[in-house]
Amino acid sequence: MFEGAVAGILNRLLGKYVQDLDTENLNVGIFSGNVNLTDLKLKPEALYELDLPIDVKIGTIGRINLQIPWSGLYTQPVVVNIEDVLVLVGPAISNSYFDPEREKRLMRAAKRKILQDLEAESEILKGPQNFFENLFTAIVDNLQIYVRNIHIRYEDSISSKDGPLACGLCLQSLSIETTNSKWKPSVTPPNALTVYQMMRIESLSFYWNPTATALDDNETAHITPIQYYNWKHYMLTGLDKFSMHHEDFEFCESIFVTYWITLFNTYELREAN
């Protein structure tokens, strides 16, 4: 019964963001306790819930692996591994190319978001609510998440009269693990009053290139398999070489250092008051 509820939630969650989701493979993996999805392509409206005037031009997740220990959910962690999250976003409105199908998808996404905001999550879970709540609490308390290779790039060919610009986020790895009070990997015992979770972030950087090489909407809308492969290669190598199309990334270190110092000082001031 619980496996079916989890399958429904994951199908609904991934279905919002992933094109042509293989639901049969997903359901089989969930019931076996080992979900393995590869080369997932993101929908243009995948980031619509951010309420920003952008859409996904090209987006892919190389691999999602979900390990669910059905026989020991209270004593063993659920492990999520995500690799190669590569996303190219751009302005939702373009002067060079109009795709009526994309506009229809965006409108459907807006309507779907309104409906989902009105729906109660209890409609998904049919059964004794206390049981589900306790089990979900145990899963979340012991969840382990490992993400490798994230590159999100924004390209804009219409906002600047000086030509295309690009900015992006690069992240080599991110992990979230449940630990004990000494920050050693552990499992949270039932009815624990305190949950310890440790997050590690490695090689996080932001870049801003006021002049850059950018793909136009016509290229991204009709991308060929070879172009798609080359794009993934450029995005992945950008994480290692910090450059794309022979253009070095211009990092925003001073901007973000100033931002974090300001944020920290503001927090201290509020605490003092």
Side-chain angles (χ1 to χ4, degrees), residues 18-135:
V18 176
Q19 289 182 352
D20 304 321
L21 179 65
D22 187 351
T23 56
E24 182 177 352
N25 183 38
L26 176 60
N27 291 334
V28 170
I30 290 171
F31 281 89
S32 69
N34 187 13
V35 178
N36 197 48
L37 303 173
T38 59
D39 197 22
L40 303 176
K41 294 184 179 180
L42 301 182
K43 294 180 177 179
E45 65 271 22
L47 301 180
Y48 191 83
E49 292 181 355
L50 297 178
D51 289 328
L52 296 174
I54 61 174
D55 58 17
V56 175
K57 306 299 182 180
I58 316 173
T60 181
I61 300 176
R63 177 174 174 264
I64 296 178
N65 178 258
L66 180 62
Q67 300 171 28
I68 310 173
W70 290 118
S71 60
L73 286 174
Y74 286 101
T75 58
Q76 300 177 51
V78 172
V79 181
V80 181
N81 287 283
I82 302 174
E83 297 179 2
D84 300 343
V85 181
L86 310 174
V87 185
L88 174 64
V89 300
I93 300 175
S94 172
N95 292 332
S96 61
Y97 179 75
F98 177 76
D99 185 350
E101 290 301 319
R102 184 181 68 185
E103 297 303 318
K104 290 179 182 178
R105 288 195 297 267
L106 292 175
M107 291 181 64
R108 286 197 296 267
K111 295 177 181 178
R112 185 171 62 245
K113 182 177 184 298
I114 295 173
L115 292 175
Q116 289 171 350
D117 289 342
L118 297 175
E119 291 177 353
E121 289 298 327
S122 59
E123 294 180 1
I124 300 177
L125 300 178
K126 305 296 183 180
Q129 293 301 304
N130 289 337
F131 169 76
F132 284 127
E133 289 174 3
N134 293 336
L135 199 52

Side-chain angles (χ1 to χ4, degrees), residues 134-174:
N134 293 336
L135 199 52
F136 268 116
T137 299
I139 291 174
V140 172
D141 287 348
N142 296 303
L143 188 64
Q144 295 183 1
I145 302 175
Y146 304 95
V147 186
R148 293 179 59 252
N149 298 335
I150 299 176
H151 189 179
I152 302 174
R153 179 178 171 93
Y154 173 84
E155 293 182 353
D156 188 339
S157 301
I158 64 174
S159 297
S160 174
K161 62 181 180 180
D162 297 327
L165 59 86
C167 59
L169 176 150
C170 297
L171 178 61
Q172 294 286 357
S173 69
L174 178 149

